[in-house]
Amino acid sequence: MVLLKCPVCGGDVQVDDNALPGEVIEHECGALLEVYMKDGKLALRVAEQIGEDWGE
Amino acid sequence: MRLGVAYDVLRWEERDLFSEARKLGYDVRPLYIKDYADLVGNSIGENLDAVIQRGVSHSRALISTTLLESQGLRVFNDSLTLVRCENKAITLSLLVKSGVNIPRTAIAFSKEKALEIARKLGYPVVIKPIEGSWGRMVAKAVDDDSLYSLMEYQDYTTSQFRTAYVIQEFVRKPDRDIRIFVIGDEAPVGIYRVNKANWKTNTALGAKAEPLKIDPELRELAMKVKDVIGGFFLGIDVFEDPDRGYVVNEVNGVPEYKNTVRVNNFNVSGFLLKKLAEVIKK
Ligand SMILES: Nc1ncnc2c1ncn2[C@@H]1O[C@H](COP(=O)(O)OP(=O)(O)OP(=O)(O)O)[C@@H](O)[C@H]1O
Ligand SMILES: [Zn+2]
């Protein structure tokens, strides 16, 4: 597990070492977070909203 | 096989593809397209035999596919297939030219002409964006007044096609539609999407998936659609019209299949991955 900070509430978020970018995590504060890679390390940012061009 | 899976949002389908590919002994590489950047025509360092495109954003899926193709990679579905699927005007025009039944569909570029043609089709009519999915902004208009208002709403979207109004007859299908999957040269599995409360039968809008037995007529229709649209993995949406029988509503180039796997107990990822290996060898 990697310990990261929620970019919305600043609280702790435990992320699996094997997490992949694009994984969406719901934090206990209600924020939807997205895992991505920053400088070769796992990081969190606010997940993207559903876009007009999203779908099948 | 060395396989890339291009994706932006990691859903059940993408995780399943990774785990099924590993079971088959494939060397599978996640390609997170959201943070992907490369030179057009650059040779990607990785020697991939194939890439499966799973992008949920249509623009990212299409453009990353062209980028990967420019680097000499084979992407499934390929960029032109994605274009033929994403744009309903293109999909429907290609299908109708090949003799596939579709809902009677009109396209107008002014509200006046749209109203004229809606009256000819007969209310209620359906208005929908040329590009879109999950039933978003698909609406039923019962008269001139409601159609006019819906077109005004469309005018204020940011869609590049907002001045093209797609007006369709309202197909009196039963409380369900059909989703059938083409994988390679087969149509192995499908579902009914049943909703007694909503005429829009997208599972994203609460329709229940039920197993479908694919009769020979449906299978033949699916293979014909594949011949017209191209590609390797398609989700074809079909209505049962009381008079005309099967009519094809649309074709999805990056289909979701979690519910299909669940209700049919059919391993879509595994089937797709094995079919892909056959195609690559050819
Ligand atoms: N002309 C029509 N007559 C009757 N029902 C329709 C018609 N067009 C669409 N529907 C219903 O509305 C749903 C959504 O429409 P459509 O599939 O065209 O939109 P979409 O946003 O592209 O959905 P998808 O997620 O399947 O790509 C369909 O599944 C169907 O149940
Ligand atoms: Zn938080």
Side-chain angles (χ1 to χ4, degrees), chain B residues 88 128 133-135 168-169 171 201-202 237 249-250 252:
Chain B
K88 289 187 166 86
K128 55 175 78 171
S133 205
W134 297 332
Q168 270 182 346
E169 67 167 317
V171 177
T201 49
N202 304 83
D237 292 348
N249 176 47
E250 66 160 351
N252 297 285

Side-chain angles (χ1 to χ4, degrees), chain A residues 5-13 26-33:
Chain A
K5 290 267 178 257
C6 171
V8 176
C9 71
D12 290 346
V13 191
E26 188 177 349
H27 192 227
E28 57 197 19
C29 71
L32 278 185
L33 307 175

Side-chain angles (χ1 to χ4, degrees), chain B:
Chain B
M1 165 150 67
R2 267 221 269 268
L3 175 71
V5 177
Y7 72 100
D8 46 12
V9 178
L10 194 71
R11 295 167 291 182
W12 180 89
E13 283 83 353
E14 290 72 42
R15 291 177 199 275
D16 194 55
L17 276 171
F18 294 142
S19 76
E20 290 298 321
R22 291 198 183 100
K23 275 188 214 161
L24 291 169
Y26 297 1
D27 178 0
V28 53
R29 311 277 168 89
L31 295 176
Y32 182 53
I33 52 178
K34 219 176 132 172
D35 287 342
Y36 188 61
D38 207 344
L39 293 172
V40 177
N42 195 29
S43 165
I44 187 173
E46 303 191 64
N47 212 346
L48 300 170
D49 299 310
V51 177
I52 299 177
Q53 178 58 257
R54 293 294 310 166
V56 74
S57 147
H58 282 171
S59 53
R60 272 195 299 252
L62 173 62
I63 302 306
S64 65
T65 299
T66 60
L67 181 56
L68 293 164
E69 285 170 345
S70 80
Q71 301 170 342
L73 294 171
R74 292 179 73 182
V75 186
F76 300 88
N77 290 320
D78 62 274
S79 53
L80 288 179
T81 298
L82 292 178
V83 170
R84 290 188 282 261
C85 292
E86 285 172 9
N87 185 307
K88 289 187 166 86
I90 296 182
T91 315
L92 293 174
S93 109
L94 291 172
L95 290 176
V96 93
K97 258 201 319 200
S98 309
V100 174
N101 282 336
I102 59 165
R104 288 171 70 213
T105 305
I107 297 176
F109 298 99
S110 74
K111 293 195 208 40
E112 292 66 32
K113 286 291 166 194
L115 292 173
E116 238 172 68
I117 207 151
R119 285 180 213 130
K120 275 194 204 137
L121 285 172
Y123 286 105
V125 296
V126 172
I127 173 168
K128 55 175 78 171
I130 284 198
E131 290 191 354
S133 205
W134 297 332
R136 255 192 333 269
M137 292 190 57
V138 175
K140 186 162 71 177
V142 294
D143 53 21
D144 280 3
D145 179 42
S146 52
L147 180 58
Y148 196 91
S149 303
L150 290 166
M151 290 190 286
E152 280 187 326
Y153 279 108
Q154 178 173 313
D155 292 343
Y156 289 99
T157 64
T158 55
S159 160
Q160 62 172 316
F161 300 111
R162 62 185 173 277
T163 54
Y165 307 107
V166 178
I167 315 285
Q168 270 182 346
E169 67 167 317
F170 181 76
V171 177
R172 299 192 187 273
K173 59 190 194 316
D175 55 11
R176 65 184 189 193
D177 73 354
I178 288 170
R179 159 62 65 84
I180 176 162
F181 290 87
V182 165
I183 306 176
D185 52 4
E186 290 188 52
V189 70
I191 50 170
Y192 288 113
R193 306 187 297 180
V194 187
N195 196 329
K196 292 187 169 40
N198 190 342
W199 61 275
K200 291 198 262 179
T201 49
N202 304 83
T203 39
L205 299 177
K208 221 173 123 251
E210 286 177 11
L212 162 80
K213 217 174 143 338
I214 298 166
D215 62 39
E217 190 188 344
L218 259 183
R219 173 166 297 116
E220 204 181 301
L221 177 65
M223 295 327 296
K224 177 146 194 200
V225 170
K226 180 205 149 107
D227 284 343
V228 176
I229 301 297
F232 169 76
F233 181 39
L234 305 173
I236 304 171
D237 292 348
V238 181
F239 297 159
E240 298 154 281
D241 182 272
D243 302 318
R244 280 170 300 171
Y246 296 131
V247 298
V248 175
N249 176 47
E250 66 160 351
V251 185
N252 297 285
V254 187
E256 294 172 336
Y257 51 91
K258 183 168 104 185
N259 294 314
T260 302
V261 169
R262 179 173 54 80
V263 301
N264 285 292
N265 201 9
F266 180 89
N267 183 350
V268 171
S269 298
F271 192 94
L272 186 154
L273 290 162
K274 284 181 203 150
K275 276 279 166 199
L276 196 57
E278 286 173 26
V279 172
I280 293 301
K281 277 200 208 98
K282 280 184 195 151

